[in-house]
Amino acid sequence: MGSDLSFGLAGRRAVVTGHRGGIGSAIYDVLRRDGVEVIGLDLPDFDLAETATIEARVQRLIGTDPVDILVNNAGITVLGSVLETSLAEAERVMRVNFLAAYALMRAVLPGMMAQRKGAIVNIASDQALIGKQVSAAYGASKAAIAQLSRSAALDWSGHGIRVNCIAPGSTQTAMLATVIGDLAAKYPDRFGVSSSDAYKAATPLGRFADPREIAHAVAFLASDAASFITGVILPVDGGGTAQ
């Protein structure tokens, strides 16, 4: 997967959420290999669901040195239609997937403004672009982060700050394996024959993404190679949303 790729990010400072597993772990590794100082925020020591205190906690962690790159990657999911998903479940998904990212942006934007440069990359999902069954709360949270990225890109472009969003398709992670199993268990009439192979076959490229492929897209959008790109929702989905 091109682990020797270089993105010219050496000497920069980044905050990455959800860095201890899946896509977040790959982002953390790719940035570190490129010479980035990475501050990771993840459970158990940093609970992104505690949104009321995120901004202050992050400002204490980063100190007076500005952050050059913010990657809002952490996310949780819940399966269910509107009637199957309680308000409490929907609220938690929105807190972690959307409001935490909002708070993180508030924490790093002043420093980026002061140095008149910065790159924010938010991780959404292909569900920011298309609807899927029994995914009401999760899909809504990912659409929200995509729209936040567009609006913020316009608000901060005059300060040299770029805001972009990646919409990954099915990616080979523990979360995806859990979702596939839970769909078959909860909805046997619709997903009883679901399997990894069936999901792969539904993707034009015929496979899942490797987490490093998403991480490489993040590093590209954070790099000077993407210096004229802002406000983009980039599908990295094997062609899934092109169908």
Side-chain angles (χ1 to χ4, degrees):
M1 294 296 171
S3 59
D4 59 344
L5 291 174
S6 177
F7 298 91
L9 297 171
R12 301 187 194 185
R13 194 170 188 232
V15 171
V16 177
T17 66
H19 70 293
R20 290 199 168 110
I23 292 172
S25 178
I27 294 168
Y28 183 86
D29 290 344
V30 165
L31 293 182
R32 292 259 301 187
R33 271 200 308 271
D34 214 58
V36 178
E37 176 198 344
V38 184
I39 300 168
L41 305 179
D42 206 343
L43 294 170
D45 48 282
F46 199 103
D47 187 353
L48 289 159
E50 297 174 0
T51 52
T53 59
I54 284 178
E55 190 175 345
R57 283 184 287 152
V58 171
Q59 287 173 338
R60 285 196 299 270
L61 278 172
I62 63 178
T64 56
D65 293 334
V67 168
D68 304 292
I69 301 164
L70 168 64
V71 184
N72 281 310
N73 162 78
I76 59 173
T77 188
V78 61
L79 297 175
S81 67
V82 170
L83 291 181
E84 294 167 329
T85 307
S86 69
L87 282 175
E89 290 175 305
E91 182 183 6
R92 179 170 175 80
V93 168
M94 289 300 292
R95 283 204 311 271
V96 175
N97 293 3
F98 175 71
L99 290 176
Y102 194 101
L104 262 291
M105 289 172 65
R106 286 181 54 87
V108 305
L109 276 168
M112 290 182 175
M113 289 173 62
Q115 66 179 4
R116 296 199 61 80
K117 63 178 180 178
I120 297 172
V121 183
N122 294 319
I123 307 299
S125 160
D126 55 358
Q127 293 192 53
L129 303 171
I130 59 173
K132 291 188 178 180
Q133 295 183 68
V134 295
S135 196
Y138 177 78
S141 73
K142 291 303 187 177
I145 197 70
Q147 190 57 41
L148 171 63
S149 302
R150 291 188 181 102
S151 294
L154 299 179
D155 288 337
W156 303 106
S157 59
H159 297 271
I161 302 167
R162 297 182 299 104
V163 185
N164 290 294
C165 183
I166 290 175
S170 296
T171 304
Q172 191 72 59
T173 63
M175 179 183 284
L176 177 64
T178 298
V179 167
I180 291 173
D182 287 351
L183 283 170
K186 290 182 67 174
Y187 306 99
D189 55 328
R190 281 179 278 179
F191 302 100
V193 296
S194 292
S195 67
S196 292
D197 289 342
Y199 275 76
K200 291 175 185 176
T203 302
L205 287 184
R207 62 177 177 84
F208 293 148
D210 184 295
R212 288 172 295 175
E213 292 177 301
I214 311 302
H216 291 156
V218 169
F220 164 69
L221 287 176
S223 76
D224 293 343
S227 58
F228 202 56
I229 300 176
T230 195
V232 164
I233 314 301
L234 175 65
V236 185
D237 63 357
T241 57
Q243 300 179 97

mmCIF file with all atom_site columns, all heavy atoms in Angstrom, residues 182-198:
data_model
loop_
_atom_site.group_PDB
_atom_site.id
_atom_site.type_symbol
_atom_site.label_atom_id
_atom_site.label_alt_id
_atom_site.label_comp_id
_atom_site.label_asym_id
_atom_site.label_entity_id
_atom_site.label_seq_id
_atom_site.pdbx_PDB_ins_code
_atom_site.Cartn_x
_atom_site.Cartn_y
_atom_site.Cartn_z
_atom_site.occupancy
_atom_site.B_iso_or_equiv
_atom_site.pdbx_formal_charge
_atom_site.auth_seq_id
_atom_site.auth_comp_id
_atom_site.auth_asym_id
_atom_site.auth_atom_id
_atom_site.pdbx_PDB_model_num
ATOM 1   N N   . ASP A 1 182 ? -23.582 -7.823  13.065 1.00 0.00 ? 182 ASP A N   1
ATOM 2   C CA  . ASP A 1 182 ? -24.788 -7.330  13.733 1.00 0.00 ? 182 ASP A CA  1
ATOM 3   C C   . ASP A 1 182 ? -25.961 -7.195  12.769 1.00 0.00 ? 182 ASP A C   1
ATOM 4   O O   . ASP A 1 182 ? -27.119 -7.458  13.142 1.00 0.00 ? 182 ASP A O   1
ATOM 5   C CB  . ASP A 1 182 ? -24.504 -5.986  14.400 1.00 0.00 ? 182 ASP A CB  1
ATOM 6   C CG  . ASP A 1 182 ? -23.642 -6.109  15.645 1.00 0.00 ? 182 ASP A CG  1
ATOM 7   O OD1 . ASP A 1 182 ? -23.412 -7.249  16.088 1.00 0.00 ? 182 ASP A OD1 1
ATOM 8   O OD2 . ASP A 1 182 ? -23.187 -5.064  16.152 1.00 0.00 ? 182 ASP A OD2 1
ATOM 9   N N   . LEU A 1 183 ? -25.693 -6.789  11.540 1.00 0.00 ? 183 LEU A N   1
ATOM 10  C CA  . LEU A 1 183 ? -26.765 -6.689  10.547 1.00 0.00 ? 183 LEU A CA  1
ATOM 11  C C   . LEU A 1 183 ? -27.412 -8.048  10.305 1.00 0.00 ? 183 LEU A C   1
ATOM 12  O O   . LEU A 1 183 ? -28.634 -8.176  10.258 1.00 0.00 ? 183 LEU A O   1
ATOM 13  C CB  . LEU A 1 183 ? -26.221 -6.129  9.228  1.00 0.00 ? 183 LEU A CB  1
ATOM 14  C CG  . LEU A 1 183 ? -25.961 -4.627  9.170  1.00 0.00 ? 183 LEU A CG  1
ATOM 15  C CD1 . LEU A 1 183 ? -25.208 -4.270  7.897  1.00 0.00 ? 183 LEU A CD1 1
ATOM 16  C CD2 . LEU A 1 183 ? -27.269 -3.841  9.242  1.00 0.00 ? 183 LEU A CD2 1
ATOM 17  N N   . ALA A 1 184 ? -26.576 -9.070  10.151 1.00 0.00 ? 184 ALA A N   1
ATOM 18  C CA  . ALA A 1 184 ? -27.103 -10.412 9.908  1.00 0.00 ? 184 ALA A CA  1
ATOM 19  C C   . ALA A 1 184 ? -27.886 -10.927 11.104 1.00 0.00 ? 184 ALA A C   1
ATOM 20  O O   . ALA A 1 184 ? -28.913 -11.603 10.956 1.00 0.00 ? 184 ALA A O   1
ATOM 21  C CB  . ALA A 1 184 ? -25.958 -11.362 9.574  1.00 0.00 ? 184 ALA A CB  1
ATOM 22  N N   . ALA A 1 185 ? -27.421 -10.588 12.324 1.00 0.00 ? 185 ALA A N   1
ATOM 23  C CA  . ALA A 1 185 ? -28.092 -11.069 13.525 1.00 0.00 ? 185 ALA A CA  1
ATOM 24  C C   . ALA A 1 185 ? -29.404 -10.335 13.799 1.00 0.00 ? 185 ALA A C   1
ATOM 25  O O   . ALA A 1 185 ? -30.403 -10.955 14.182 1.00 0.00 ? 185 ALA A O   1
ATOM 26  C CB  . ALA A 1 185 ? -27.155 -10.918 14.718 1.00 0.00 ? 185 ALA A CB  1
ATOM 27  N N   . LYS A 1 186 ? -29.411 -9.020  13.591 1.00 0.00 ? 186 LYS A N   1
ATOM 28  C CA  . LYS A 1 186 ? -30.587 -8.212  13.928 1.00 0.00 ? 186 LYS A CA  1
ATOM 29  C C   . LYS A 1 186 ? -31.645 -8.220  12.840 1.00 0.00 ? 186 LYS A C   1
ATOM 30  O O   . LYS A 1 186 ? -32.832 -8.072  13.116 1.00 0.00 ? 186 LYS A O   1
ATOM 31  C CB  . LYS A 1 186 ? -30.169 -6.766  14.213 1.00 0.00 ? 186 LYS A CB  1
ATOM 32  C CG  . LYS A 1 186 ? -29.381 -6.573  15.497 1.00 0.00 ? 186 LYS A CG  1
ATOM 33  C CD  . LYS A 1 186 ? -29.043 -5.105  15.728 1.00 0.00 ? 186 LYS A CD  1
ATOM 34  C CE  . LYS A 1 186 ? -30.278 -4.272  16.003 1.00 0.00 ? 186 LYS A CE  1
ATOM 35  N NZ  . LYS A 1 186 ? -29.924 -2.875  16.372 1.00 0.00 ? 186 LYS A NZ  1
ATOM 36  N N   . TYR A 1 187 ? -31.196 -8.359  11.585 1.00 0.00 ? 187 TYR A N   1
ATOM 37  C CA  . TYR A 1 187 ? -32.123 -8.261  10.457 1.00 0.00 ? 187 TYR A CA  1
ATOM 38  C C   . TYR A 1 187 ? -31.921 -9.440  9.510  1.00 0.00 ? 187 TYR A C   1
ATOM 39  O O   . TYR A 1 187 ? -31.520 -9.275  8.359  1.00 0.00 ? 187 TYR A O   1
ATOM 40  C CB  . TYR A 1 187 ? -31.901 -6.946  9.707  1.00 0.00 ? 187 TYR A CB  1
ATOM 41  C CG  . TYR A 1 187 ? -31.976 -5.718  10.583 1.00 0.00 ? 187 TYR A CG  1
ATOM 42  C CD1 . TYR A 1 187 ? -30.816 -5.115  11.060 1.00 0.00 ? 187 TYR A CD1 1
ATOM 43  C CD2 . TYR A 1 187 ? -33.202 -5.171  10.943 1.00 0.00 ? 187 TYR A CD2 1
ATOM 44  C CE1 . TYR A 1 187 ? -30.882 -3.986  11.873 1.00 0.00 ? 187 TYR A CE1 1
ATOM 45  C CE2 . TYR A 1 187 ? -33.275 -4.052  11.760 1.00 0.00 ? 187 TYR A CE2 1
ATOM 46  C CZ  . TYR A 1 187 ? -32.116 -3.466  12.217 1.00 0.00 ? 187 TYR A CZ  1
ATOM 47  O OH  . TYR A 1 187 ? -32.177 -2.356  13.016 1.00 0.00 ? 187 TYR A OH  1
ATOM 48  N N   . PRO A 1 188 ? -32.205 -10.665 9.976  1.00 0.00 ? 188 PRO A N   1
ATOM 49  C CA  . PRO A 1 188 ? -31.949 -11.839 9.134  1.00 0.00 ? 188 PRO A CA  1
ATOM 50  C C   . PRO A 1 188 ? -32.768 -11.862 7.853  1.00 0.00 ? 188 PRO A C   1
ATOM 51  O O   . PRO A 1 188 ? -32.346 -12.460 6.858  1.00 0.00 ? 188 PRO A O   1
ATOM 52  C CB  . PRO A 1 188 ? -32.316 -13.007 10.056 1.00 0.00 ? 188 PRO A CB  1
ATOM 53  C CG  . PRO A 1 188 ? -33.227 -12.421 11.085 1.00 0.00 ? 188 PRO A CG  1
ATOM 54  C CD  . PRO A 1 188 ? -32.749 -11.029 11.292 1.00 0.00 ? 188 PRO A CD  1
ATOM 55  N N   . ASP A 1 189 ? -33.950 -11.189 7.876  1.00 0.00 ? 189 ASP A N   1
ATOM 56  C CA  . ASP A 1 189 ? -34.769 -11.170 6.665  1.00 0.00 ? 189 ASP A CA  1
ATOM 57  C C   . ASP A 1 189 ? -34.141 -10.340 5.559  1.00 0.00 ? 189 ASP A C   1
ATOM 58  O O   . ASP A 1 189 ? -34.329 -10.604 4.379  1.00 0.00 ? 189 ASP A O   1
ATOM 59  C CB  . ASP A 1 189 ? -36.172 -10.621 6.982  1.00 0.00 ? 189 ASP A CB  1
ATOM 60  C CG  . ASP A 1 189 ? -36.127 -9.246  7.641  1.00 0.00 ? 189 ASP A CG  1
ATOM 61  O OD1 . ASP A 1 189 ? -35.160 -8.974  8.386  1.00 0.00 ? 189 ASP A OD1 1
ATOM 62  O OD2 . ASP A 1 189 ? -37.057 -8.446  7.409  1.00 0.00 ? 189 ASP A OD2 1
ATOM 63  N N   . ARG A 1 190 ? -33.368 -9.313  5.939  1.00 0.00 ? 190 ARG A N   1
ATOM 64  C CA  . ARG A 1 190 ? -32.745 -8.431  4.940  1.00 0.00 ? 190 ARG A CA  1
ATOM 65  C C   . ARG A 1 190 ? -31.257 -8.691  4.755  1.00 0.00 ? 190 ARG A C   1
ATOM 66  O O   . ARG A 1 190 ? -30.717 -8.522  3.664  1.00 0.00 ? 190 ARG A O   1
ATOM 67  C CB  . ARG A 1 190 ? -32.948 -6.963  5.329  1.00 0.00 ? 190 ARG A CB  1
ATOM 68  C CG  . ARG A 1 190 ? -34.314 -6.434  4.987  1.00 0.00 ? 190 ARG A CG  1
ATOM 69  C CD  . ARG A 1 190 ? -34.452 -4.979  5.436  1.00 0.00 ? 190 ARG A CD  1
ATOM 70  N NE  . ARG A 1 190 ? -34.794 -4.874  6.850  1.00 0.00 ? 190 ARG A NE  1
ATOM 71  C CZ  . ARG A 1 190 ? -34.946 -3.724  7.498  1.00 0.00 ? 190 ARG A CZ  1
ATOM 72  N NH1 . ARG A 1 190 ? -34.734 -2.586  6.857  1.00 0.00 ? 190 ARG A NH1 1
ATOM 73  N NH2 . ARG A 1 190 ? -35.282 -3.706  8.769  1.00 0.00 ? 190 ARG A NH2 1
ATOM 74  N N   . PHE A 1 191 ? -30.576 -9.057  5.848  1.00 0.00 ? 191 PHE A N   1
ATOM 75  C CA  . PHE A 1 191 ? -29.118 -9.181  5.789  1.00 0.00 ? 191 PHE A CA  1
ATOM 76  C C   . PHE A 1 191 ? -28.631 -10.556 6.252  1.00 0.00 ? 191 PHE A C   1
ATOM 77  O O   . PHE A 1 191 ? -27.456 -10.732 6.535  1.00 0.00 ? 191 PHE A O   1
ATOM 78  C CB  . PHE A 1 191 ? -28.464 -8.112  6.673  1.00 0.00 ? 191 PHE A CB  1
ATOM 79  C CG  . PHE A 1 191 ? -28.831 -6.707  6.296  1.00 0.00 ? 191 PHE A CG  1
ATOM 80  C CD1 . PHE A 1 191 ? -29.813 -6.021  7.012  1.00 0.00 ? 191 PHE A CD1 1
ATOM 81  C CD2 . PHE A 1 191 ? -28.219 -6.067  5.236  1.00 0.00 ? 191 PHE A CD2 1
ATOM 82  C CE1 . PHE A 1 191 ? -30.150 -4.716  6.674  1.00 0.00 ? 191 PHE A CE1 1
ATOM 83  C CE2 . PHE A 1 191 ? -28.551 -4.765  4.902  1.00 0.00 ? 191 PHE A CE2 1
ATOM 84  C CZ  . PHE A 1 191 ? -29.512 -4.090  5.617  1.00 0.00 ? 191 PHE A CZ  1
ATOM 85  N N   . GLY A 1 192 ? -29.539 -11.536 6.302  1.00 0.00 ? 192 GLY A N   1
ATOM 86  C CA  . GLY A 1 192 ? -29.173 -12.836 6.834  1.00 0.00 ? 192 GLY A CA  1
ATOM 87  C C   . GLY A 1 192 ? -28.081 -13.543 6.064  1.00 0.00 ? 192 GLY A C   1
ATOM 88  O O   . GLY A 1 192 ? -27.351 -14.361 6.621  1.00 0.00 ? 192 GLY A O   1
ATOM 89  N N   . VAL A 1 193 ? -27.969 -13.255 4.780  1.00 0.00 ? 193 VAL A N   1
ATOM 90  C CA  . VAL A 1 193 ? -26.926 -13.916 3.984  1.00 0.00 ? 193 VAL A CA  1
ATOM 91  C C   . VAL A 1 193 ? -25.739 -12.985 3.756  1.00 0.00 ? 193 VAL A C   1
ATOM 92  O O   . VAL A 1 193 ? -24.870 -13.270 2.941  1.00 0.00 ? 193 VAL A O   1
ATOM 93  C CB  . VAL A 1 193 ? -27.481 -14.398 2.622  1.00 0.00 ? 193 VAL A CB  1
ATOM 94  C CG1 . VAL A 1 193 ? -28.537 -15.460 2.835  1.00 0.00 ? 193 VAL A CG1 1
ATOM 95  C CG2 . VAL A 1 193 ? -28.054 -13.214 1.819  1.00 0.00 ? 193 VAL A CG2 1
ATOM 96  N N   . SER A 1 194 ? -25.715 -11.870 4.461  1.00 0.00 ? 194 SER A N   1
ATOM 97  C CA  . SER A 1 194 ? -24.615 -10.926 4.295  1.00 0.00 ? 194 SER A CA  1
ATOM 98  C C   . SER A 1 194 ? -23.306 -11.543 4.762  1.00 0.00 ? 194 SER A C   1
ATOM 99  O O   . SER A 1 194 ? -23.259 -12.298 5.723  1.00 0.00 ? 194 SER A O   1
ATOM 100 C CB  . SER A 1 194 ? -24.880 -9.641  5.094  1.00 0.00 ? 194 SER A CB  1
ATOM 101 O OG  . SER A 1 194 ? -25.949 -8.926  4.532  1.00 0.00 ? 194 SER A OG  1
ATOM 102 N N   . SER A 1 195 ? -22.249 -11.198 4.076  1.00 0.00 ? 195 SER A N   1
ATOM 103 C CA  . SER A 1 195 ? -20.918 -11.654 4.442  1.00 0.00 ? 195 SER A CA  1
ATOM 104 C C   . SER A 1 195 ? -19.924 -10.642 3.918  1.00 0.00 ? 195 SER A C   1
ATOM 105 O O   . SER A 1 195 ? -20.268 -9.764  3.121  1.00 0.00 ? 195 SER A O   1
ATOM 106 C CB  . SER A 1 195 ? -20.630 -13.024 3.839  1.00 0.00 ? 195 SER A CB  1
ATOM 107 O OG  . SER A 1 195 ? -20.553 -12.925 2.425  1.00 0.00 ? 195 SER A OG  1
ATOM 108 N N   . SER A 1 196 ? -18.693 -10.763 4.358  1.00 0.00 ? 196 SER A N   1
ATOM 109 C CA  . SER A 1 196 ? -17.649 -9.875  3.841  1.00 0.00 ? 196 SER A CA  1
ATOM 110 C C   . SER A 1 196 ? -17.561 -9.977  2.328  1.00 0.00 ? 196 SER A C   1
ATOM 111 O O   . SER A 1 196 ? -17.404 -8.978  1.631  1.00 0.00 ? 196 SER A O   1
ATOM 112 C CB  . SER A 1 196 ? -16.309 -10.222 4.477  1.00 0.00 ? 196 SER A CB  1
ATOM 113 O OG  . SER A 1 196 ? -16.309 -9.901  5.848  1.00 0.00 ? 196 SER A OG  1
ATOM 114 N N   . ASP A 1 197 ? -17.674 -11.193 1.807  1.00 0.00 ? 197 ASP A N   1
ATOM 115 C CA  . ASP A 1 197 ? -17.569 -11.378 0.360  1.00 0.00 ? 197 ASP A CA  1
ATOM 116 C C   . ASP A 1 197 ? -18.693 -10.657 -0.379 1.00 0.00 ? 197 ASP A C   1
ATOM 117 O O   . ASP A 1 197 ? -18.478 -10.073 -1.443 1.00 0.00 ? 197 ASP A O   1
ATOM 118 C CB  . ASP A 1 197 ? -17.587 -12.867 0.005  1.00 0.00 ? 197 ASP A CB  1
ATOM 119 C CG  . ASP A 1 197 ? -16.302 -13.578 0.404  1.00 0.00 ? 197 ASP A CG  1
ATOM 120 O OD1 . ASP A 1 197 ? -15.284 -12.876 0.626  1.00 0.00 ? 197 ASP A OD1 1
ATOM 121 O OD2 . ASP A 1 197 ? -16.316 -14.814 0.512  1.00 0.00 ? 197 ASP A OD2 1
ATOM 122 N N   . ALA A 1 198 ? -19.895 -10.687 0.198  1.00 0.00 ? 198 ALA A N   1
ATOM 123 C CA  . ALA A 1 198 ? -21.023 -10.001 -0.443 1.00 0.00 ? 198 ALA A CA  1
ATOM 124 C C   . ALA A 1 198 ? -20.805 -8.500  -0.455 1.00 0.00 ? 198 ALA A C   1
ATOM 125 O O   . ALA A 1 198 ? -21.107 -7.817  -1.447 1.00 0.00 ? 198 ALA A O   1
ATOM 126 C CB  . ALA A 1 198 ? -22.318 -10.349 0.284  1.00 0.00 ? 198 ALA A CB  1
#
